[in-house]
Amino acid sequence: TGGGTEADNLAVKGAARSARPRGAGDGVVTTAIEHHAVLHSVERLEREGFRTSIVPVDGDGVVDLDALAGALDARTAVVSVMLANNEVGTVQPLAEVAALVAERAPRAVLHTDAVQAAAWMDVATEAAGAALVAVSAHKFGGPKGVGALVVRQGVSLEPVIDGGGQERDLRSG
């Protein structure tokens, strides 16, 4: 992708838009402290008729797991929880989040924005429960304008950029 913002957009919008016509859900859940790439994607999806929920965090910036559990249901298609926050340094309990998603919204895919975490954490281990992981190269010594969305096998996405069909029909360019 062209960076973390595009990766987040493809993950959140692409997974939600792919789920609805397949009958796999219309709900999108995220936290109040996500990057604007996620929050604005969720707002866009809400304008498109998706059910959305933004769950609170505690005073330390950690997602309220009870509120998250209450926001999940069988119709939830996408859950997005940032791995590490760049402003307050909070690391989310992603394994616990993944367990809640599996229990309460088994058809949902879990996305994590790991852009801020990649330079400091073992993202492969910390984000093991996520089906979609966004990173941006400039955060760990790579060039600006280069990012990636790691997509677990079997996850269905609808492209957000139409055209020539490159990148397995997910990102034309």
Side-chain angles (χ1 to χ4, degrees), residues 12-13 15-17 19-21 23-31 38-55 67-80 101 104-109:
V12 175
K13 292 178 193 170
R17 290 173 180 161
R20 191 162 52 180
D26 66 348
V28 181
V29 178
T30 193
T31 78
V38 170
L39 292 172
H40 291 176
S41 291
V42 171
E43 290 170 2
R44 170 63 58 107
L45 291 168
E46 185 174 46
R47 290 193 303 271
E48 293 176 13
F50 285 86
R51 297 177 309 124
T52 64
S53 182
I54 298 176
V55 298
L68 177 63
L72 300 173
D73 62 30
R75 290 177 41 208
T76 303
V78 181
V79 178
S80 183
V101 171
R104 303 228 175 190
R107 295 190 308 175
V109 295

Side-chain angles (χ1 to χ4, degrees), residues 48-132:
E48 293 176 13
F50 285 86
R51 297 177 309 124
T52 64
S53 182
I54 298 176
V55 298
V57 297
D58 67 16
D60 293 322
V62 177
V63 63
D64 180 333
L65 293 173
D66 291 332
L68 177 63
L72 300 173
D73 62 30
R75 290 177 41 208
T76 303
V78 181
V79 178
S80 183
V81 177
M82 179 186 288
L83 179 54
N85 186 283
N86 64 309
E87 293 184 19
V88 294
T90 304
V91 176
Q92 298 299 335
L94 214 53
E96 293 175 58
V97 169
L100 275 176
V101 171
E103 175 188 330
R104 303 228 175 190
R107 295 190 308 175
V109 295
L110 175 60
H111 162 254
T112 191
D113 177 338
V115 168
Q116 299 299 333
W120 311 106
M121 303 173 69
D122 178 354
V123 172
T125 299
E126 297 296 326
L132 300 162

Side-chain angles (χ1 to χ4, degrees), residues 1-11 115 133-137 143-151 157 160-161 167 170-172:
T1 65
T5 295
E6 184 185 341
D8 286 340
N9 272 261
L10 178 56
V115 168
V133 180
V135 295
S136 185
K144 290 183 179 182
V146 177
L149 178 64
V150 179
V151 181
L157 295 174
V160 293
I161 300 172
E167 298 295 335
L170 290 178
R171 185 179 187 260
S172 296

